[in-house]
Amino acid sequence: MEVRNNYINGQWQASVSGATREVINPSNGEVIALVTDSVAEDSKQAIAAAKAAFYQSGAWRRMAGPKRADLLLRIADAIAARADELAVMDTLDNGKPLREARCDVDDAAACFRYYAGLITKPQGGVYEVSDGFGPMHAYSMHEPVGVCALITPWNYPLLMAAWKLAPALAAGNAVVFKPSEVTPLSAVALFEIFHQVGLPAGTANLVLGSGPAAGQELAASHDVDMITFTGSTRTGQTIAAAAVGNLKKVGLELGGKSPNVIFADADLEGAVEWAMIGVFFNQGEVCSAGSRILIEESIKDRFVARLAERARAMSIGPGMKDPDMGAIVSAAQLEKVLGHIERAKQQGATLVCGGVRHTEGECAKGYFVQPTIFDNCTRDMDIVREEVFGPVVAIQTFTSEAEAIAMANDTPYGLAGGVFTTDGARALRVVKEIRAGVTWINCYNPTFNEAPWGGYKMSGYGRDLGVNGLLEYQQVKQVNINLQPGPVGWYQH
Ligand code: NAD
């Protein structure tokens, strides 16, 4: 089997470790690829290449914005041209349904287009300033941060790469990218595209390997000016601590336990379907998943009965067959999800449906879990407090708007939240009170390249996407201009 390698300074190269890692198809447990398994020394080489590209050559950062934009547009076109292949890659690697992977590929291409457009728009400001030193003028300009390390998780392999690489490159940075070791394949394809469109050598570097062996160096290195990370809150804390050494800029997109608040006046069928999208999309392996449904008591029984009916009817199977729900990403994640389910049972939550590994027919060797609903959950249960990152939802009830808001915010996380009601003013009141960075009214989970994405509280800081996503990868420089050069007469002697 051919081994996929690192891409450092414009060259494909194996890790100095000489080791390889198997990439597994979670739908059947089979090995689908081998990738090089990097260690800290590989990350050091990639950082050195990025540093030389940014600080010595400067070809990319000095390239005029419209020319950088042209390259990003060519990257978007190349992603679109390989859309079918990339979608199959993420489906086989991650386990998700093929049509969901196709959406990811379209979104990834659109993300490169969005930042190609944005980088050619006006940035910075011009300021009227006081004339204490004589006539002066000030303006600000946006510059790239420098060497940026980008680390992503396995739930949206290509899309998470695009969310970080597109703005980082648009801004003129040099980057070192480490995808999750569990789902590295589409990242390799993306770097083939970077090579094909002719990004200057060293501008974008790829390191394949685990977090502790290859990722930690990216967080700790004093030659890295910024690290942005999407992944679990615990790893985010490790990265933030490692980044302190040179006070590099840090961006963290972390986990969540997001509330989906449903009032009795909501359109019930709509709320049920969006709640399913909220918690079963991508097998529930979504950071913003609406994994706590808070429902007004008077409609709880009807809602739960309908949700369970719909959940039981979901088709489960290999992503390539395009089922409603695919496989959990890995054997390790399957064990985690089943562990959460067992604890919820032990702690007294009522299992309504699912709650077991799914092994029927073609699923026998894969890592499948049935869509799982727990009713009668209470705030002290782990299923209400901890992120599962699987197709498992906890139901709690409320009787007033104030109680709903208090319950929604009763979590250390603050990534997302939703509200369903036909009372427009109430929808706006509740969304305003939810302490989270991403919210929805009468829908759950759609997100757009144009709008900023990120968390409050322990869901992290910094923003991906939108104008804010570009600003993260920039520094702002103030320029003050003396309009009347010559002595200013400040010192008298
Ligand atoms: P993870 O934290 O285990 O790993 C994420 C990435 O960090 C991987 O590339 C991994 O190799 C790397 N890593 C691990 N230890 C590291 C270390 N010490 N130093 C540097 N890098 C290290 O997360 P995961 O299991 O891959 O993904 C699931 C998590 O990601 C969930 O908690 C989910 O909520 C979160 N997530 C958040 C968002 C968001 O936008 N907020 C989006 C997607 C996923």
Side-chain angles (χ1 to χ4, degrees):
M1 212 177 249
E2 190 197 344
V3 179
R4 265 83 154 185
N5 283 327
N6 292 334
Y7 183 76
I8 295 176
N9 207 23
Q11 308 283 332
W12 295 99
Q13 61 184 66
S15 163
V16 298
S17 73
T20 57
R21 175 184 291 271
E22 292 179 338
V23 180
I24 308 286
N25 175 354
S27 297
N28 56 21
E30 285 173 10
V31 177
I32 50 171
L34 290 175
V35 291
T36 199
D37 199 15
S38 305
V39 290
E41 176 55 28
D42 300 298
S43 296
K44 282 185 183 153
Q45 288 182 14
I47 293 165
K51 190 177 172 189
F54 188 84
Y55 289 101
Q56 287 163 30
S57 147
W60 181 246
R61 74 179 156 86
R62 289 200 187 98
M63 191 182 286
K67 287 206 174 125
R68 283 205 304 276
D70 277 349
L71 264 109
L72 295 182
L73 290 173
R74 284 170 53 199
I75 291 168
D77 289 346
I79 292 172
R82 289 178 69 174
D84 289 345
E85 180 201 349
L86 288 166
V88 168
M89 225 177 245
D90 267 4
T91 292
L92 293 178
D93 205 350
N94 166 276
K96 63 176 68 195
L98 187 58
R99 70 181 185 289
E100 293 185 16
R102 279 190 210 280
C103 293
D104 296 353
V105 175
D106 291 349
D107 278 358
C111 187
F112 278 95
R113 290 207 175 91
Y114 174 76
Y115 284 107
L118 192 60
I119 200 64
T120 62
K121 304 301 176 285
Q123 301 177 68
V126 180
Y127 309 98
E128 288 280 340
V129 291
S130 64
D131 59 359
F133 289 98
M136 299 207 36
H137 188 62
Y139 70 92
S140 61
M141 59 193 289
H142 292 199
E143 297 186 326
V145 178
V147 174
C148 299
L150 321 172
I151 300 181
T152 53
W154 43 253
N155 60 339
Y156 287 90
L158 182 67
L159 191 57
M160 291 296 106
W163 281 21
K164 296 200 182 302
L165 283 160
L169 290 172
N173 295 287
V175 303
V176 179
F177 175 54
K178 196 201 83 61
S180 168
E181 62 275 31
V182 184
T183 54
L185 300 185
S186 54
V188 174
L190 187 58
F191 274 71
E192 286 167 5
I193 289 172
F194 290 173
H195 188 77
Q196 171 198 329
V197 304
L199 277 188
T203 301
N205 304 277
L206 174 70
V207 177
L208 303 169
S210 76
Q216 184 73 18
E217 177 64 25
L218 300 178
S221 169
H222 288 204
D223 288 331
V224 172
D225 301 303
M226 171 176 186
I227 184 154
T228 69
F229 166 79
T230 299
S232 63
T233 294
R234 185 167 303 168
T235 307
Q237 289 171 317
T238 307
I239 284 176
V244 156
N246 69 332
L247 292 177
K248 61 173 66 64
K249 200 173 174 185
V250 181
L252 300 174
E253 302 286 343
L254 309 178
K257 189 76 200 179
S258 300
N260 185 3
V261 183
I262 301 169
F263 286 91
D265 66 353
D267 175 281
L268 190 88
E269 272 305 301
V272 165
E273 179 146 17
W274 281 112
M276 290 172 71
I277 294 171
V279 76
F280 300 138
F281 199 83
N282 209 47
Q283 301 72 243
E285 295 162 336
V286 180
C287 49
S288 57
S291 54
R292 288 188 292 140
I293 292 180
L294 312 179
I295 184 131
E296 194 158 354
E297 197 161 89
S298 59
I299 59 159
K300 197 259 291 197
D301 290 344
R302 262 194 315 142
F303 178 87
V304 172
R306 184 68 179 133
L307 187 69
E309 187 183 0
R310 296 287 309 269
R312 285 193 196 99
M314 288 180 86
S315 58
I316 305 172
M320 289 303 291
K321 296 272 169 80
D322 222 2
D324 292 330
M325 216 171 68
I328 298 293
V329 74
S330 65
Q333 186 63 17
L334 174 73
E335 286 315 309
K336 266 192 210 162
V337 173
L338 293 175
H340 279 288
I341 289 172
E342 278 318 302
R343 276 216 303 288
K345 289 181 194 164
Q346 283 162 16
Q347 292 176 3
T350 310
L351 181 65
V352 179
C353 68
V356 287
R357 183 173 177 177
H358 183 79
T359 52
E360 264 171 39
E362 287 182 290
C363 298
K365 291 189 183 152
Y367 316 135
F368 297 89
V369 174
Q370 290 184 358
T372 299
I373 301 172
F374 279 108
D375 196 359
N376 302 318
C377 298
T378 52
R379 70 179 300 276
D380 49 309
M381 292 178 185
D382 291 349
I383 201 68
V384 168
R385 310 215 68 78
E386 293 176 9
E387 184 181 47
V388 175
F389 227 57
V392 183
V393 65
I395 311 260
Q396 294 172 272
T397 55
F398 64 85
T399 53
S400 70
E401 184 178 316
E403 190 188 11
I405 291 167
M407 288 168 77
N409 288 330
D410 184 16
T411 169
Y413 294 112
L415 185 58
V419 56
F420 285 79
T421 173
T422 45
D423 177 341
R426 174 156 64 190
L428 298 177
R429 276 198 307 274
V430 173
V431 150
K432 191 160 182 275
E433 289 299 319
I434 291 180
R435 301 286 300 156
V438 183
T439 57
W440 291 280
I441 295 174
N442 292 327
C443 59
Y444 203 101
N445 258 347
T447 184
F448 307 97
N449 287 316
E450 294 77 8
W453 175 279
Y456 286 17
K457 296 156 69 178
M458 289 190 78
S459 293
Y461 41 78
R463 290 293 177 269
D464 281 331
L465 301 181
V467 175
N468 302 68
L470 181 63
L471 288 169
E472 295 287 333
Y473 294 99
Q474 294 178 320
Q475 301 188 99
V476 180
K477 179 178 281 177
Q478 181 188 106
V479 182
N480 300 296
I481 309 156
N482 180 0
L483 297 174
Q484 204 168 313
V488 66
W490 185 259
Y491 296 107
Q492 302 305 314
H493 305 290

